[in-house]
Amino acid sequence: MTAAEENPCLPKHVAIIMDGNNRFAKKNQMQKGDGHREGKTVLDPIVEHCRKRNIQALTVFAFSSENWNRPQFEVELLMKLLLDTIHEQLPRMEKFNIALRFIGDRSRLSAELQGLMLQAEQRTANFNSMTLTIAISYGGMWDMAQAAKQIASDVLTNKLDLDAIDTDVFGQYVSLGDLPAVDLLIRTGGDFRLSNFLLWQAAYAELYFTETLWPEFTVEELDDALAVFGGRERRFGKTSEQVHQEKLEN
């Protein structure tokens, strides 16, 4: 049993929308793209701290389906930074025994990036101290549409019975279906929306919004978010009295 399972106040799965890079650059009168470069360096201490806190899974939103609509310069820079990030993360994943995974529509990515992503996944597949997932060219609606398409295919080929489809079965077809559901979803940058991120997986996630821009996000504020999570009552449709009684019985 992991520490997260022993301590219900600790989330098993944390997701982060890493927002505010461009506003950080403007705030500090930096060149275009420098905010993204600064933001890339923040991920390492966050990953290490999640591992120290025995978080089972960390999923970060690096590039959304809608981000393809950004200026070409910015898209090309983000793709370059993603390549750099994977190169830099691989030795760290091996050092800390962390599995590295990617979710999203890979068809629009370069062959070089797709190949590196696959290599990283294969090299770290058996690591089990934590799972770090980077969402690239990802959207929650795309994710559910892909799941529906695969389910339809399996029904047509008699791999799946139509009457067997329920929320549990559907959940096995979306990205990260083998990981715990998202318990805590953090968004930096001051906006109060999910932006099409992990819509299925975060259905019952506790939400934590902060004005802090991603390049300024620290492990101390991560601990603040974890403390807020620990102080919330998660009822999953039940009453407070039912939740309290279940705690007493357990």
Side-chain angles (χ1 to χ4, degrees):
M1 181 178 290
T2 67
E5 290 171 324
E6 293 172 354
N7 182 3
C9 293
L10 193 67
K12 298 182 182 72
H13 190 165
V14 174
I16 304 178
I17 300 174
M18 307 180 293
D19 197 21
N21 293 326
N22 282 334
R23 278 168 285 164
F24 175 83
K26 291 176 182 177
K27 171 184 169 183
N28 292 281
Q29 299 181 325
M30 303 166 75
Q31 297 294 317
K32 282 186 177 180
D34 284 349
H36 292 300
R37 295 186 182 94
E38 289 290 326
K40 184 171 76 69
T41 66
V42 175
L43 184 59
D44 288 346
I46 296 300
V47 171
E48 289 184 30
H49 195 64
C50 282
R51 180 179 174 274
K52 289 177 182 176
R53 295 297 306 269
N54 294 299
I55 305 299
Q56 293 182 30
L58 172 65
T59 302
V60 297
F61 208 6
F63 190 89
S64 74
S65 304
E66 293 76 24
N67 285 156
W68 289 109
N69 297 318
R70 292 201 171 192
Q72 188 62 28
F73 160 80
E74 187 173 353
V75 171
E76 291 176 357
L77 172 63
L78 287 167
M79 291 298 113
K80 172 65 166 58
L81 291 177
L82 286 168
L83 277 169
D84 293 344
T85 296
I86 298 171
H87 279 297
E88 293 167 6
Q89 288 297 331
L90 259 176
R92 301 175 64 81
M93 300 298 99
E94 292 171 338
K95 176 182 178 182
F96 294 111
N97 194 37
I98 297 173
L100 180 59
R101 294 166 59 172
F102 303 91
I103 55 173
D105 180 5
R106 304 191 188 195
S107 65
R108 300 186 67 177
L109 304 176
S110 69
E112 179 184 13
L113 183 53
Q114 289 187 52
L116 185 60
M117 290 161 63
L118 182 60
Q119 177 190 354
E121 288 176 323
Q122 292 173 340
R123 282 175 58 178
T124 65
N126 295 322
F127 296 164
N128 57 16
S129 71
M130 191 178 85
T131 299
L132 170 63
T133 303
I134 302 177
I136 303 175
S137 188
Y138 175 85
M141 290 185 288
W142 167 87
D143 194 355
M144 289 188 283
Q146 293 301 304
K149 185 186 296 184
Q150 186 58 54
I151 288 173
S153 175
D154 284 353
V155 169
L156 289 172
T157 55
N158 296 317
K159 294 178 182 177
L160 179 67
D161 186 83
L162 181 63
D163 292 331
I165 300 172
D166 57 16
T167 55
D168 290 335
V169 170
F170 192 92
Q172 296 170 17
Y173 282 80
V174 296
S175 301
L176 309 181
D178 59 325
L179 295 178
V182 176
D183 296 304
L184 172 63
L185 191 150
I186 299 169
R187 180 173 187 142
T188 64
D191 285 329
F192 298 86
R193 53 180 175 265
L194 298 181
S195 293
N196 197 19
F197 184 45
L198 299 178
L199 300 180
W200 180 274
Q201 299 87 338
Y204 263 98
E206 296 297 321
L207 307 180
Y208 179 90
F209 298 103
T210 173
E211 297 285 338
T212 303
L213 305 175
W214 173 247
E216 299 172 326
F217 191 75
T218 63
V219 295
E220 289 78 16
E221 183 157 8
L222 175 58
D223 277 336
D224 289 342
L226 295 176
V228 168
F229 173 86
R232 292 184 184 175
E233 182 181 71
R234 307 188 76 202
R235 296 190 295 275
F236 298 99
K238 299 177 182 178
T239 66
S240 295
E241 290 75 15
Q242 286 176 300
V243 172
H244 181 67
Q245 183 62 36
E246 287 176 358
K247 288 181 179 179
L248 291 177
E249 293 172 354
N250 292 329

